[in-house]
Amino acid sequence: MNERQRLLSQIPSVDELLKLKTVEGWLKAYPRGVVLTAIRHTLDIKRALILAGETPEMTTGAILDKIGESIKRLSTYRLRPLINATGIIIHTNLGRSLLSKRAIENICSISNRYSNLEYDLSNGKRGKRYSHIKEILREITGAEDAIVVNNNAAAVLLSLNTIAKGKEVIVSRGELVEIGGSFRIPDVMASSGAVMREVGTTNKTHLRDYEDAVNENTALLLKVHTSNYRIIGFTADVPVADIAAIGAERGIPTMFDLGSGCLIDLSRYGIDGEPNARDIIKAGVDIVSFSGDKLLGGPQGGVIAGKKHIIERLEKNPLTRALRIDKLTLAALEATLMEYRDEQKAVENIPTLKMLLQPIKEIKNRALRIAKAIKGIAIKDIEGIDVDVFQEYSQAGGGSLPEAALPTYVVSIRTAGLTVNTIEEILRTGEPPVIVRIKDDAALFDARTIQDAEVGELAGRIRSALRDRD
Ligand SMILES: *Cc1c(COP(=O)(O)O)cnc(C)c1O
């Protein structure tokens, strides 16, 4: 018998393994299917390694360890929480906005009991799920009426399909936006059945460009917020008030796809360049659409606010049923919107706004606490590891405020024993995963997006990652 055959003959049978005490214990704690899958998976891997000429450890203990790891992996959720140390607040890949406490509480209270989701309590008849959110949206945006769908992409699709199917939509060449995740204005336009009529040039579009393009087939004048880019230099675009004015004069509906649904005036906090929904509605545009989980800081959703006669048409479109918002989202959105009745409260309680507007001193303190927790002692290098705290810049993310450089503090880690890419990988693949920023061969931990409750856990993960070096 050669070495390979000898090793293959050591692979236990599934039945043998099932009789072991450890496995019997697992069978009591986990579903039988999970234990069997883990056993077969582990044995398959051992067999493949042997056939590839390797000599894996074949003791019962070593095999049971692998099976145990496999059971654990099969039993943990694939979608799970992580620590965002990138400093990108509305990180599209990392779940965008965190919900406020109030939003989470409302999700819980609506989800384990029956609710009046589509029931009118005043007359005991069938009601509409959209009715619950109209009043608060009217109050906060100043619009006549509003509806909410699955996300802002759906809001734009629904609006174009309802207002302009088979007709022309006039839009500036400077505003043909692409957002991450393949939302592109020309593609959404095509999917909606509307015909895109581009006007102006990449850098300059004038009022007369819109006026000249209007014809009997024009159904909508569309403005799109250039969320994630800016055209600078020799440029001109037409203010939304002017577009609204031509629309009103010619009897053509107007729309502004706002992207990030900012509901407060950020310029009061020193952040310029992000229009807020109330001002845009006041400018006279018929409808605006925006996301629920960008600067608004709520759940994924797409708000369309504006003239009642248009919102009523949207509600009647059969597509609305396919794009409708779920009750948990409604619960979270209503609670988030309620926070905006008191701007101070909104800024304190909505995590997205809180992180965006957090005083630099607080961020610095958190960075210092993280650094201190990593070392377990005061700021002073532990052997071979360079831990530093310094000023850097965070980003808003989510296609918002592309030019805003938000001063922040980061903890930086560098060590002779490990490359920065190895540190990044260890942190990303552990539990909980930690997603870092890499700059100049150092791993940076931006204290802005690290939650206070995560400081201890993060420091623990970093310490154990650094212990793994060599
Ligand atoms: C983000 C964005 C969208 C898409 O919104 P989602 O809520 O992600 O679907 C559409 N238009 C603009 C201008 C955006 O910035």
Side-chain angles (χ1 to χ4, degrees), residues 96 150-154 156 177 179-180 183 185 224-228 257-260 289-294 300-302 398-399:
R96 284 199 184 167
N150 184 55
N151 55 15
N152 188 31
V156 176
V177 176
I179 309 292
F183 174 92
I185 290 294
V224 185
H225 181 42
T226 57
S227 310
N228 49 5
D257 171 13
L258 254 182
S260 208
S289 74
F290 51 88
S291 293
D293 56 350
K294 290 186 182 171
Q300 178 187 307

Side-chain angles (χ1 to χ4, degrees), residues 79-265:
L79 177 61
R80 52 205 225 269
L82 55 74
I83 296 175
N84 172 12
T86 66
I88 300 169
I89 303 167
I90 310 166
H91 199 307
T92 296
N93 302 147
L94 305 184
R96 284 199 184 167
S97 281
L98 312 189
L99 292 180
S100 67
K101 194 160 162 271
R102 188 168 171 176
I104 294 161
E105 282 166 2
N106 206 28
I107 288 179
C108 291
S109 93
I110 287 300
S111 57
N112 71 350
R113 303 188 60 186
Y114 290 104
S115 65
N116 62 336
L117 178 65
E118 294 190 348
Y119 188 75
D120 188 337
L121 290 170
S122 64
N123 62 17
K125 296 212 172 95
R126 180 180 184 142
K128 284 189 180 160
R129 68 178 56 212
Y130 307 109
S131 62
H132 310 291
I133 209 99
K134 283 177 187 287
E135 203 173 295
I136 184 80
L137 275 169
R138 279 199 294 258
E139 182 187 321
I140 286 164
T141 64
E144 279 175 26
D145 200 358
I147 183 174
V148 185
V149 288
N150 184 55
N151 55 15
N152 188 31
V156 176
L157 177 71
L158 176 64
S159 303
L160 295 176
N161 179 268
T162 308
I163 301 167
K165 188 177 173 189
K167 297 201 156 178
E168 287 183 11
V169 176
I170 299 178
V171 60
S172 161
R173 288 195 172 87
E175 298 173 0
L176 300 178
V177 176
E178 171 172 327
I179 309 292
S182 71
F183 174 92
R184 307 171 99 190
I185 290 294
D187 297 348
V188 177
M189 196 78 79
S191 306
S192 74
V195 179
M196 185 165 77
R197 177 75 191 265
E198 299 167 43
V199 297
T201 62
T202 304
N203 57 324
K204 281 201 170 201
T205 300
H206 305 284
L207 193 58
R208 61 170 187 277
D209 293 322
Y210 290 89
E211 286 174 321
D212 291 349
V214 171
N215 64 68
E216 67 285 353
N217 239 336
T218 307
L220 181 71
L221 305 180
L222 174 68
K223 187 167 176 69
V224 185
H225 181 42
T226 57
S227 310
N228 49 5
Y229 66 99
R230 294 286 181 265
I231 296 176
I232 56 164
F234 186 60
T235 66
D237 74 328
V238 180
V240 65
D242 293 357
I243 292 177
I246 332 170
E249 191 188 304
R250 308 278 185 103
I252 301 166
T254 52
M255 171 174 180
F256 195 165
D257 171 13
L258 254 182
S260 208
C262 190
L263 297 179
I264 62 175
D265 181 1

